[in-house]
């Protein structure tokens, strides 16, 4: 479960028990999906819990709010401070933090003037576990970037993710891989995608995907490890011949992928570039700083 009788959340300026929190039934987010959120992780370190790339997450949160015309009267610094308070009040170290900015009462199709901020957290292990996942190319495409702000972490986008994951599981797979409107590989329902071929990593360029903070961290780590990453468009057929592949995401971290549409990749996970990156990622998230090139690391 996500909370118990003691769990504290931050709702509209007050610390209250999750079990006692209430919300209205006429929220535009509930009816039409116009809300924005983040998925952030805190890791236990020698200096207590550290929120990994908190600034980047809250900058994306405020960007999402702005493009969806949802007022957010908090700054990045205030949101980071509140997030540490949230961890402290609940005694969490390894935790998943979920900020949600949701709309007030509004049944017409324009943004409500009033929004609500919820910050909650729960202790959480890996999203996909360490299991090597078997992917299915989804029959659902990612939303067309001309129909939405694809770089915003918008509540409504996740109906697409839920349909894709449900379809994959119903077909006996673990997870989905979604294409863009041109048939190129875009991303997973909640993670970005990379594959390895002949010692080089490939991922699609920005444009049809969420600009993942973990994806960016992979670019930083690859530079340090002298691994080449090429951003280009590719199809499922290109992936079938891959040596290895992985998902990246705050929840998924760097998650091994075994196969796409039943075609297994050439190398065992532990011999892939993804594995080397995942080992470094585990060190980085538990380091004293969340940025690779800062001297403290
Ligand atoms: N794509 C989608 C659709 C996601 O939901 C996520 C998770 N936020 C990602 C990619 C990965 O983003 P990040 O690395 O910032 O968690």
């Amino acid at each position: 479960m996500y909370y118990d009788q003691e769990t504290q959340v931050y709702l509209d300026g007050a610390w209250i028990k999750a079990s006692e929190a209430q919300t209205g039934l006429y929220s535009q987010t509930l009816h039409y999906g116009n809300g924005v959120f983040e998925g952030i992780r805190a890791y236990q370190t020698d200096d207590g819990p550290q929120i990994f790339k908190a600034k980047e997450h809250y900058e994306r949160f405020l960007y999402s709010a702005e493009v969806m015309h949802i007022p957010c009267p908090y700054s990045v610094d205030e949101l980071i401070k509140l997030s540490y308070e949230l961890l402290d009040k609940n005694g969490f170290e390894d935790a998943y933090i979920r900020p949600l900015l949701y709309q007030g009462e509004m049944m017409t199709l324009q943004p409500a003037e009033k929004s609500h901020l919820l910050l909650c957290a729960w202790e959480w292990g890996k999203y996909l576990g360490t299991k090597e996942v078997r992917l299915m190319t989804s029959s659902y495409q990612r939303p067309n970037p001309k129909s939405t702000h694809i770089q915003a972490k918008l509540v409504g986008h996740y109906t697409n993710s839920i349909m894709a994951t449900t379809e994959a599981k119903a077909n006996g797979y673990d997870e989905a891989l979604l294409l863009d409107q041109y048939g190129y590989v875009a991303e997973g329902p909640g993670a970005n995608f990379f594959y390895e071929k002949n010692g080089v990593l490939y991922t699609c360029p920005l444009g049809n995907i969420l600009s993942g903070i973990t994806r960016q961290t992979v670019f930083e780590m690859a530079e340090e490890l002298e691994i080449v990453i090429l951003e280009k468009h590719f199809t499922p057929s290109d992936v079938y011949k891959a040596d290895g592949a992985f998902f990246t995401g705050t929840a998924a971290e760097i998650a091994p992928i075994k196969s796409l549409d039943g075609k297994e990749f050439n190398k065992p996970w532990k011999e892939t570039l993804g594995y080397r990156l995942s080992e470094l990622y585990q060190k980085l998230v538990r380091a004293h700083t969340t940025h690779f090139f800062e001297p403290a690391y």
Side-chain angles (χ1 to χ4, degrees):
M1 283 306 292
Y2 299 103
Y3 64 93
D4 62 23
Q5 285 305 314
E6 303 309 316
T7 307
Q8 297 270 322
V9 299
Y10 183 81
L11 182 61
D12 290 335
W15 293 101
I16 55 172
K17 284 190 174 177
S19 57
E20 289 168 11
Q22 293 196 333
T23 190
L25 293 179
Y26 298 85
S27 155
Q28 191 180 57
T29 310
L30 198 57
H31 290 252
Y32 304 138
N34 187 27
V36 300
F37 70 104
E38 265 306 317
I40 310 177
R41 270 177 83 157
Y43 291 89
Q44 186 183 14
T45 75
D46 295 344
D47 293 340
Q50 290 291 322
I51 301 175
F52 188 64
K53 296 209 169 176
K55 184 166 169 280
E56 286 80 348
H57 279 283
Y58 280 119
E59 280 171 358
R60 187 169 69 186
F61 187 63
L62 294 186
Y63 161 79
S64 301
E66 190 185 331
V67 297
M68 296 314 297
H69 311 287
I70 304 176
C72 182
Y74 297 86
S75 68
V76 167
D77 286 347
E78 285 164 344
L79 291 163
I80 294 175
K81 191 166 166 280
L82 286 167
S83 301
Y84 276 104
E85 271 178 68
L86 176 70
L87 294 173
D88 189 45
K89 283 189 188 288
N90 288 292
F92 292 160
E93 296 218 310
D94 280 302
Y96 186 84
I97 302 169
R98 166 55 52 83
L100 171 69
L101 187 67
Y102 65 96
Q103 288 269 255
E105 297 178 4
M106 181 56 78
M107 291 296 108
T108 68
L109 299 180
Q110 54 200 327
E113 272 171 28
K114 192 169 165 14
S115 64
H116 303 272
L117 176 72
L118 168 70
L119 295 180
C120 61
W122 54 91
E123 285 179 305
W124 207 26
K126 270 192 188 181
Y127 171 52
L128 297 167
T130 45
K131 192 180 149 204
E132 294 175 36
V133 295
R134 293 164 307 116
L135 298 188
M136 170 192 157
T137 303
S138 185
S139 71
Y140 297 100
Q141 293 176 351
R142 286 299 287 161
N144 185 324
K146 288 200 171 134
S147 69
T148 185
H149 290 285
I150 199 71
Q151 305 251 25
K153 207 162 159 61
L154 170 61
V155 171
H157 285 169
Y158 286 81
T159 53
N160 172 259
S161 299
I162 290 169
M163 289 188 290
T165 300
T166 306
E167 179 191 50
K169 287 192 190 286
N171 283 281
Y173 293 90
D174 303 306
E175 192 50 287
L177 184 65
L178 292 96
L179 309 184
D180 66 19
Q181 70 271 30
Y182 303 112
Y184 293 118
V185 171
E187 61 185 329
N192 294 118
F193 178 82
F194 289 75
Y195 77 92
E196 172 183 341
K197 184 70 189 171
N198 298 334
V200 174
L201 289 179
Y202 296 90
T203 196
C204 67
L206 297 181
N208 295 307
I209 58 170
L210 187 77
S211 174
I213 290 162
T214 322
R215 178 185 184 275
Q216 182 55 36
T217 308
V218 164
F219 277 88
E220 290 160 16
M221 293 191 302
E223 197 169 323
E224 186 69 16
L225 297 177
E226 296 183 353
I227 294 171
V228 176
I229 305 179
L230 297 180
E231 287 177 277
K232 65 158 204 164
H233 292 295
F234 52 88
T235 64
S237 309
D238 297 317
V239 180
Y240 294 157
K241 293 171 247 152
D243 296 328
F246 56 91
F247 272 144
T248 66
T250 299
E253 300 179 314
I254 296 180
I257 301 172
K258 193 180 186 65
S259 60
L260 174 63
D261 300 329
K263 274 89 169 168
E264 279 195 25
F265 303 131
N266 298 331
K267 286 188 184 173
W269 170 242
K270 291 208 166 169
E271 290 173 21
T272 63
L273 297 173
Y275 179 74
R276 281 176 63 198
L277 288 161
S278 73
E279 294 281 288
L280 185 56
Y281 188 77
Q282 289 304 324
K283 282 190 200 140
L284 186 60
V285 294
R286 290 184 179 78
H288 297 276
T289 171
T290 55
H291 286 85
F292 202 78
F293 300 108
E294 280 174 15
Y297 175 64

